Amino acid sequence: MNMFSGRTRTIALSVAAAVLLGVAAIVAVWTVGGRETARLAAAEPARCLADENGRGDVWVPPGTFTMGDTVYPEEGPLRQVAVEGFWMDRTEVTNRDFAAFVAATGYVTVAERPVDATLHPHLPPEMRLPGAVVFVMPNNVDGMGDISQWWQYVPGANWRHPGGPKTSIEGRDDFPVTAVALEDARAYAQWKGRALPTEAEWEWAARAADPDAPPARDRPKEANTWQGLFPVVNTAEDGFVGVAPVGCFETNALGLHDMLGNLWEWTADPYDGRRDAHVIKGGSYLCAPNYCMRYRPAARQPQEVDLATTHLGFRTIRAAPGP
């Protein structure tokens, strides 16, 4: 039985056919990959954008495009969608941004509160404690069907301590904030006088407002994704083992950083009419060809609205006339 008992059934909507190695082969290759990823992690930058000029808003012009894709069933059907123009955060909301919001309002995130037992009456006691779901790289796996082999609910994990109570965001002001539930992202957006993008707005922006762009299939080069055999070997060829600071990769044609990879991002839309889940977009640093090819504009997954995870962040938009 999955250790998350329903709360994280939507973290991995479906598992692509994995390249399965024997346990001995996995351990041998992980030993090499583990050493290299540890070396790279120690050398990773804490900041990529030189100054605040790399932040701010980007204008996303209006347009009509064919939304959706055919890689995974949930991406269809293909449909024509019209989008009004809007301004969008150039980067994901950072720890610095979110800390300013908390300092000004005293806001307490969902992951810092006890789990509402009336909504989740069957959870074991340890999963009712304040906390978040954290990725923990395993030494080996027994098949790919049980995500609890690499996802763990960690009491005490939250936006300030994304890996658990012994971790910190000190020195990581320019990293995107993680472990934020939908309510947290909405509260920040409202404080800023902004909103979360709809799924269509987000996908249009990720496509760089180009209705003629062919559907993306290949892993993007300018994105923080997983290189190697997920979840046991991470060669970190893109320079990052885990989450990267905002703005470490080239922008898309509109000037938006990290629309694909790094972190999944919340949208304003419920997932297929569900009250308990919203659409998230963009994939994350954990997406790999053998597991999760969702580093594409049309890719989408459901995420439970009250579950904070450390591969999920957000950015905001505002409705205003264009330049």
Side-chain angles (χ1 to χ4, degrees):
M1 181 178 178
N2 191 305
M3 68 175 288
F4 301 125
S5 186
R7 283 207 75 198
T8 59
R9 65 187 181 278
T10 59
I11 289 179
L13 179 64
S14 62
V15 177
V19 179
L20 298 180
L21 301 177
V23 171
I26 287 177
V27 172
V29 75
W30 180 87
T31 300
V32 175
R35 291 197 191 103
E36 179 64 5
T37 53
R39 182 189 69 78
L40 284 167
E44 289 174 3
R47 186 174 192 177
C48 288
L49 295 177
D51 54 45
E52 287 299 305
N53 291 332
R55 302 290 306 285
D57 275 352
V58 169
W59 170 247
V60 181
T64 300
F65 72 108
T66 301
M67 185 174 172
D69 207 339
T70 58
V71 176
Y72 292 114
E74 72 274 8
E75 297 168 4
L78 300 178
R79 62 272 190 202
Q80 287 291 111
V81 174
V83 177
E84 298 294 328
F86 57 93
W87 294 89
M88 184 176 237
D89 288 330
R90 187 181 297 271
T91 73
E92 292 155 330
V93 173
T94 64
N95 288 323
R96 177 187 288 108
D97 300 329
F98 201 78
F101 159 61
V102 171
T105 63
Y107 184 83
V108 178
T109 63
V110 170
E112 296 172 284
R113 312 172 206 161
V115 175
D116 187 342
T118 62
L119 297 177
H120 305 284
H122 303 299
L123 286 177
E126 64 273 15
M127 290 188 66
R128 297 183 184 181
L129 298 172
V133 176
V134 177
F135 173 78
V136 179
M137 184 177 177
N139 288 353
N140 57 71
V141 293
D142 182 12
M144 298 289 284
D146 180 6
I147 65 173
S148 68
Q149 295 176 100
W150 55 87
W151 283 111
Q152 297 180 14
Y153 187 82
V154 178
N158 54 56
W159 76 275
R160 290 188 176 93
H161 308 284
K166 294 183 180 180
T167 65
S168 171
I169 59 170
E170 184 177 355
R172 296 169 67 91
D173 287 348
D174 292 289
F175 282 71
V177 65
T178 69
V180 284
L182 178 65
E183 180 183 332
D184 308 327
R186 281 176 165 170
Y188 173 89
Q190 183 176 17
W191 177 69
K192 295 285 287 186
R194 300 169 68 94
L196 296 179
T198 66
E199 181 179 4
E201 288 169 337
W202 195 100
E203 187 168 325
W204 176 238
R207 292 174 182 266
D210 182 357
D212 299 319
R217 290 292 187 272
D218 298 331
R219 174 168 34 194
K221 294 180 179 179
E222 289 298 328
N224 180 16
T225 60
W226 184 285
Q227 291 87 50
L229 183 70
F230 182 88
V232 293
V233 181
N234 185 354
T235 60
E237 295 165 25
D238 58 15
F240 294 94
V241 174
V243 181
V246 298
C248 291
F249 297 87
E250 291 295 323
T251 67
N252 70 8
L254 289 178
L256 295 164
H257 285 286
D258 304 317
M259 290 297 287
L260 304 178
N262 212 27
L263 294 180
W264 286 94
E265 298 182 13
W266 284 109
T267 73
D269 290 356
Y271 185 87
D272 299 350
R274 287 172 51 180
R275 292 184 178 182
D276 66 333
H278 266 233
V279 176
I280 59 174
K281 300 282 282 184
S284 78
Y285 71 97
L286 299 175
C287 283
N290 77 293
Y291 177 69
C292 168
M293 294 188 295
R294 289 184 169 86
Y295 34 61
R296 297 170 292 104
R300 63 199 297 264
Q301 273 192 187
Q303 173 70 24
E304 287 165 285
V305 297
D306 61 346
L307 183 64
T309 70
T310 54
H311 71 333
L312 173 60
F314 69 103
R315 72 182 75 209
T316 65
I317 65 168
R318 62 184 175 94

